[in-house]
Amino acid sequence: MDSEIIFIIEESQETGYEARALDHSIFTEADTVEELKIMIKDAVQCHFDPNEMPKIIRLHYIKEEIMAA
C-alpha cells in the first residue's frame, strides 16, 4: 500500500484543468481547481479498495508561460 499518491495538474485547452496520477492510471478534469480537487478525491476512491487507499493526495501544479524574446 502506498501512503500517498501524486497528481500532476495542468491547465487544459478543452476544459479548465486536468489531473494525471503518477504510477497509476487515473485521469480527471474539471473547469476549476476546486472542482478538480473533488474529482481527484472521487477518482482515487473509485480506483482503490478501502484498505489500499493512500492516506495523502499530493498535487503538483505545472504552469506553462510564454514570453516574448
Side-chain angles (χ1 to χ4, degrees):
M1 172 180 86
D2 294 330
S3 61
E4 71 176 28
I5 185 168
I6 300 171
F7 280 84
I8 301 298
I9 312 297
E10 295 182 278
E11 289 187 45
S12 172
Q13 292 179 357
E14 293 88 33
T15 63
Y17 297 90
E18 57 187 43
R20 193 175 316 275
L22 298 180
D23 301 326
H24 298 280
S25 58
I26 304 173
F27 174 85
T28 189
E29 56 190 3
D31 292 332
T32 67
V33 172
E34 293 78 21
E35 290 174 352
L36 187 65
K37 289 178 181 180
I38 293 168
M39 297 297 289
I40 289 170
K41 282 182 118 176
D42 185 53
V44 169
Q45 290 172 350
C46 289
H47 186 80
F48 291 97
D49 289 330
N51 59 341
E52 297 175 347
M53 188 84 58
K55 303 237 183 283
I56 296 172
I57 300 172
R58 189 176 303 272
L59 308 178
H60 287 249
Y61 292 87
I62 296 177
K63 182 176 180 178
E64 184 175 320
E65 213 171 303
I66 299 172
M67 298 176 19

